[in-house]
Amino acid sequence: MKQNIKKILSLFFISLICSFSYYAEVMIHGWEGLKWTGNFYWTLLVAPFIFCLWIKIFVEKEIKIKNIFKFLLSYFLTFIVIYILLNFIYNLRLTAFLLFVPFEKFITENIFDLLVYCTIIINCSLIFLVLYLENLKLQKILNFELAKKEKIILVFQPIYIFFTAEIWMIILYYLKAFPKMNQFDLFESIFIFKTGTIIFSSILFEGLYILYKKKV
């Protein structure tokens, strides 16, 4: 029991460290507006290595280096795909304006709005699919199998991650961890990326998921 508590606490700690490291980088580059979107963040490179180190120390000491590299490669490819999809979703307003103005004589605003909403649904569905496939790959790397009901539950992973990130952001905001945030920012989902709470919830979920399946 004590060992399990130790593993969960260590997971919580690395999730917190990675999250605040990213937030610190955002603050260094500049919090205002969208300054943070065009910068390179070392945390996004270092975090998966820290997570792999946690797996090696607390979960599976015998894991092969080859499997660690497989996980890292899979992570980076997944990250790139999701990054592109999220950027497309959050920039739809700008995209809609740029596309609609030249073609407003040919299509109505209502039709264009419908196309925008359809695009959001498609991209969100692709994010669900990409994360699901990533976790199916993870089970092969760490040598465990998912039951059918577990696969169904895993489909909804993004909902868990986004919900946890939002709740954690609200908690930290009221603990004065984000001094430059305003209260109305709590209702903008983009701030879970800006504050790094999405990193916290992602690492925490993946770690708990692995601990559960490895039963360690």
Side-chain angles (χ1 to χ4, degrees):
M1 183 65 179
K2 288 183 179 180
Q3 284 297 318
N4 287 335
I5 292 174
K6 185 178 179 180
K7 289 164 185 174
I8 293 171
L9 287 176
S10 64
L11 175 64
F12 183 86
F13 178 75
I14 67 166
S15 302
L16 201 61
I17 289 297
C18 292
S19 175
F20 275 111
S21 296
Y22 175 83
Y23 174 65
E25 285 194 273
V26 170
M27 294 296 285
I28 290 169
H29 289 299
W31 173 266
E32 292 73 18
L34 295 174
K35 285 183 179 180
W36 63 283
T37 57
N39 299 304
F40 174 81
Y41 294 95
W42 285 101
T43 303
L44 299 178
L45 288 182
V46 175
F49 286 95
I50 293 175
F51 186 63
C52 285
L53 184 63
W54 176 81
I55 292 174
K56 180 74 174 174
I57 295 173
F58 292 99
V59 182
E60 192 169 331
K61 294 181 180 179
E62 305 301 321
I63 188 172
K64 297 178 181 178
I65 300 297
K66 178 179 70 175
N67 286 341
I68 290 177
F69 278 113
K70 282 182 179 179
F71 169 78
L72 290 172
L73 179 61
S74 179
Y75 163 82
F76 285 121
L77 290 175
T78 300
F79 171 77
I80 290 170
V81 172
I82 291 178
Y83 179 80
I84 292 171
L85 292 172
L86 284 172
N87 264 277
F88 195 76
I89 290 171
Y90 282 111
N91 285 291
L92 271 177
R93 290 177 185 175
L94 176 61
T95 305
F97 175 77
L98 293 176
L99 289 176
F100 179 72
V101 171
F103 296 102
E104 60 183 345
K105 293 180 180 178
F106 306 101
I107 58 175
T108 66
E109 190 170 351
N110 289 335
I111 292 176
F112 195 82
D113 287 342
L114 177 62
L115 292 174
V116 169
Y117 288 129
C118 288
T119 305
I120 291 174
I121 292 171
I122 291 170
N123 278 270
C124 286
S125 300
L126 287 173
I127 290 173
F128 274 64
L129 177 62
V130 168
L131 286 174
Y132 180 72
L133 293 175
E134 166 69 11
N135 278 298
L136 289 184
K137 193 174 295 183
L138 184 61
Q139 71 168 333
K140 292 181 180 179
I141 293 172
L142 294 178
N143 193 30
F144 59 78
E145 293 184 5
L146 292 170
K148 286 185 178 180
K149 67 176 183 179
E150 290 173 336
K151 289 182 179 180
I152 294 172
I153 293 171
L154 197 61
V155 170
F156 301 99
Q157 175 193 9
I159 295 176
Y160 167 84
I161 290 176
F162 275 67
F163 180 76
T164 307
E166 180 69 25
I167 296 299
W168 186 236
M169 181 178 69
I170 292 171
I171 292 171
L172 290 177
Y173 170 78
Y174 284 106
L175 290 174
K176 310 297 182 182
F178 308 128
K180 292 195 175 185
M181 274 188 71
N182 298 308
Q183 193 168 4
F184 63 84
D185 293 335
L186 297 175
F187 302 100
E188 289 284 344
S189 60
I190 198 169
F191 279 89
I192 64 175
F193 298 95
K194 194 170 184 177
T195 59
T197 58
I198 191 72
I199 296 174
F200 170 84
S201 61
S202 298
I203 294 175
L204 190 65
F205 175 84
E206 289 295 337
L208 291 174
Y209 161 64
I210 291 170
L211 285 176
Y212 165 72
K213 288 307 299 179
K214 297 299 290 186
K215 292 181 173 62
V216 293

